[in-house]
Amino acid sequence: MNRRNLLVLVASLGGLGALSLWAAKASGAKLSRMMMSSSGMNMGGMRDAADRIQQLPTGAPLSDLVKLSNTATQPGQFNGVIEAAATQHEFVPGLKTEALTYNGALPGAMIEVFEGDHVKINFKNRIPEQASTIHWHGLEIPSDHDGNPTVPVASGADHTYEFAIPEGSAGTYWYHPHPHQVTAKQVYRGLAAPFIVRSKNDPLSSDLGDTILVISSVSLDVDGKISENTMADQFNGREGDHVLVNGTKQPVLTVAPGSSRRFRLFNATNGRFLRLAIDGHNMTLVGTDGGLVSSPISGLKELLLAPAERAEIVIDFHGAPGSYALSSLPYERGWMGMDKPAAETITIMDFALAGASVQRIELPEKLRDIVPLGEAKSRKRIEFNETMGMGNGMMTMGFQIDGKTFDMDRIDLKSRKGEVELWEIFNNSDMDHPLHIHGTQFQIVERERNGEVFPVAFTAWKDTVNITPKETVRLKIRFNLPGMRMYHCHILEHEDQGMMGTLQVV
Ligand code: C2O
Ligand code: CU
Ligand code: CU
């Protein structure tokens, strides 16, 4: 029997509690809470039952994001204050939900800087009882300012993060907490925000606009509480009952017929795969995690964004006035255990074509140079693994890299500063896992499936790459700064359960 069928069988044995590995290792109080919620599940009281899910309103205009204000007076400097705190948020008007927010906003306040800027952030952790950090996802900044779990900021404490934004790094990044074993929970309660690095010479016309679409998700109980993770969430990563764009469900953006518009898309969910498509429209890919691609890639019918991936696209809106949905199509991500969601297409947001038509905007043929990283001086190979077993009458599942569970006191890999490496990552498991590596951007070289090698279609800067079951991905990478970095699956529940390693750059 394969692992997935065994999981279904085990999970369907009535009365058997099911626990994931971290819970088994967690404190007694946490453990008994998990046991209670899992026995509740088995008695049919699951929060997934339709009558426990709070419905959210749809159809509001797309929200603009709150911007973090810059308190510096000198040019080239960005100073800001970010406070993470519990906030009463209304996902449903009149229904109070305790969420976690950066500066009261959900998604958090957006940071916008230019290449070469110097950034100084005063972080105030006002999250009750939990340590936190801010990790600057995708940016090449000194490791001791990168919010590693090894540098926690205690509840009630302040911490200053300071770093320079490298030249040539214009792109679409984000920031989120990275504390040991509670990253998933802090992110699904609301902590995540965009970090945009702009170039003073953007080759894309400002007439395209630049609309940020942060796609996240939320699960709410009818009493307005953000739901705790279910067993399915722990195994698969939390997909969330409702998909949000800039904090609201299925918002509407009105665009002029004929117009060309630029969008930055973020998959800020813990564990939902977004296979995006737009009614009656193709997309043109202009950028990936680490900035623009070398030339626009037009005619895309769909775009897969795994958790933590970003993309910049241009859409040429055409056709009759009316509503065109941005949807997420069904995606087979290798579901573990019970409660596999139905293979449905869901609407993420709507574009309303209305008003006077305008002229389409031609994109430049060339956006920038992306120099291939060149010959690798060293090689690394890592492997994703899942383990499962039964302990004390309960099912456990482990998520590991190279057969090891994360230990922040252990150095798993070593790299030499400035040296190009070839990494080979084999996903020796039954589900997709998006690998993220801190502190640099890499270039995917090729993928190998069933002995067949598929070279990458175009060179691009990435910090997160999805790897399907039994697939091997090869990528080139170079760390320009010394220090400790993390690499992990960006399904945040997997990361918290130990699917993470440490890398020392010397
Ligand atoms: Cu966005 Cu280590 O994470
Ligand atoms: Cu990161
Ligand atoms: Cu994973």
Side-chain angles (χ1 to χ4, degrees):
M1 178 163 28
N2 73 28
R3 189 176 293 172
R4 193 165 303 150
N5 290 341
L6 179 59
L7 273 165
V8 172
L9 176 74
V10 169
S12 62
L13 294 172
L16 259 189
L19 272 183
S20 60
L21 201 59
W22 74 267
K25 290 166 65 185
S27 68
K30 214 184 217 170
L31 185 67
S32 59
R33 230 177 300 134
M34 281 294 295
M35 289 176 71
M36 279 167 56
S37 66
S38 61
S39 59
M41 270 169 48
N42 289 328
M43 285 165 9
M46 307 194 37
R47 69 150 187 81
D48 284 355
D51 59 352
R52 299 237 31 218
I53 296 179
Q54 173 63 50
Q55 294 308 315
L56 296 194
T58 60
L62 178 73
S63 305
D64 276 335
L65 294 169
V66 174
K67 284 188 191 168
L68 185 66
S69 52
N70 181 7
T71 59
T73 46
Q74 62 274 50
Q77 180 72 33
F78 186 102
N79 293 347
V81 179
I82 296 179
E83 182 177 286
T87 308
Q88 297 297 321
H89 185 82
E90 295 187 5
F91 289 100
V92 180
L95 181 67
K96 296 243 188 291
T97 293
E98 186 178 292
L100 294 182
T101 57
Y102 286 128
N103 293 0
L106 194 153
M110 171 164 82
I111 299 180
E112 263 187 292
V113 297
F114 281 94
E115 291 176 349
D117 279 1
H118 189 268
V119 178
K120 189 172 174 180
I121 300 290
N122 178 4
F123 172 48
K124 296 177 176 302
N125 178 12
R126 300 296 178 264
I127 303 169
E129 288 162 49
Q130 269 176 17
S132 193
T133 75
I134 303 182
H135 170 57
W136 313 97
H137 181 124
L139 287 164
E140 182 182 80
I141 60 167
S143 71
D144 51 345
H145 287 267
D146 204 18
N148 284 336
T150 45
V151 193
V153 181
S155 173
D158 295 1
H159 185 81
T160 302
Y161 293 104
E162 226 178 326
F163 46 89
I165 304 293
E167 291 295 340
S169 66
T172 308
Y173 308 96
W174 57 305
Y175 66 94
H176 63 76
H178 220 300
H180 189 48
Q181 292 182 329
V182 280
T183 295
K185 186 162 187 161
Q186 291 187 4
V187 174
Y188 79 60
R189 292 177 74 198
L191 295 179
F195 191 120
I196 309 296
V197 177
R198 300 199 181 278
S199 156
K200 284 177 185 128
N201 304 302
D202 196 320
L204 290 171
S205 162
S206 58
D207 295 339
L208 293 162
D210 192 341
T211 306
I212 311 287
L213 302 175
V214 177
I215 305 174
S216 65
S217 66
V218 72
S219 300
L220 284 185
D221 292 338
V222 277
D223 57 6
K225 279 205 184 60
I226 293 179
S227 317
E228 296 290 325
N229 266 355
T230 61
M231 196 51 45
D233 293 333
Q234 287 298 112
F235 286 170
N236 299 284
R238 178 163 166 129
E239 293 198 345
D241 294 330
H242 307 286
V243 176
L244 309 177
V245 184
N246 296 357
T248 58
K249 184 172 179 175
Q250 216 181 304
V252 179
L253 179 68
T254 301
V255 292
S259 61
S260 303
R261 297 286 302 261
R262 175 185 189 177
F263 297 95
R264 297 183 195 244
L265 306 165
F266 294 71
N267 186 341
T269 71
N270 280 15
R272 183 184 278 269
F273 289 76
L274 300 168
R275 189 181 150 211
L276 301 172
I278 304 166
D279 283 348
H281 290 77
N282 290 337
M283 297 173 261
T284 299
L285 183 76
V286 293
T288 53
D289 303 334
L292 297 176
V293 290
S294 48
S295 323
I297 294 145
S298 59
L300 298 180
K301 297 211 169 345
E302 55 180 78
L303 178 67
L304 181 70
L305 277 191
E309 283 188 300
R310 289 90 64 211
E312 285 184 71
I313 60 169
V314 171
I315 306 171
D316 294 319
F317 289 99
H318 56 80
S323 184
Y324 296 83
L326 169 65
S327 302
S328 183
L329 309 175
Y331 178 71
E332 185 48 70
R333 35 87 49 102
W335 190 263
M336 283 290 154
M338 303 275 283
D339 304 318
K340 182 176 178 176
E344 282 171 343
T345 295
I346 62 157
T347 301
I348 305 268
M349 66 177 286
D350 287 297
F351 295 106
L353 252 65
S357 42
V358 298
Q359 207 52 51
R360 154 166 198 261
I361 299 170
E362 286 297 331
L363 301 180
E365 248 163 67
K366 174 138 189 211
L367 299 175
R368 71 151 156 177
D369 284 323
I370 295 186
V371 182
L373 275 171
E375 208 194 316
K377 292 272 185 310
S378 60
R379 289 171 167 259
K380 288 187 167 47
R381 183 177 195 278
I382 62 171
E383 195 175 297
F384 288 153
N385 329 103
E386 292 156 5
T387 64
M388 62 162 302
M390 296 287 293
N392 298 327
M394 292 179 288
M395 186 182 64
T396 59
M397 186 147 190
F399 299 94
Q400 302 181 321
I401 298 179
D402 294 327
K404 294 178 289 186
T405 301
F406 176 65
D407 177 350
M408 66 172 105
D409 297 322
R410 181 187 67 218
I411 300 294
D412 297 298
L413 297 174
K414 283 192 175 144
S415 292
R416 266 188 294 273
K417 193 175 66 151
E419 190 173 273
V420 176
E421 303 178 350
L422 182 77
W423 283 41
E424 183 172 283
I425 309 104
F426 175 52
N427 180 356
N428 193 12
S429 82
D430 297 320
M431 64 198 297
D432 286 25
H433 296 284
L435 171 73
H436 167 53
I437 307 173
H438 286 201
T440 190
Q441 293 280 322
F442 52 73
Q443 296 176 348
I444 301 167
V445 177
E446 61 190 22
R447 293 171 177 272
E448 185 177 331
R449 279 186 295 267
N450 304 319
E452 224 189 314
V453 173
F454 305 89
V456 75
F458 55 91
T459 306
W461 291 114
K462 296 279 297 162
D463 56 52
T464 305
V465 57
N466 189 47
I467 310 172
T468 61
K470 310 303 175 205
E471 184 180 48
T472 296
V473 164
R474 294 189 186 86
L475 58 84
K476 283 184 182 170
I477 189 166
R478 183 178 60 209
F479 296 93
N480 293 316
L481 300 173
M484 204 238 250
R485 301 292 186 183
M486 333 300 300
Y487 56 96
H488 59 87
C489 175
H490 217 290
I491 289 176
L492 295 177
E493 283 75 7
H494 293 174
E495 177 204 320
D496 281 348
Q497 288 168 84
M499 200 172 207
M500 174 153 67
T502 61
L503 177 144
Q504 187 75 40
V505 184
V506 290

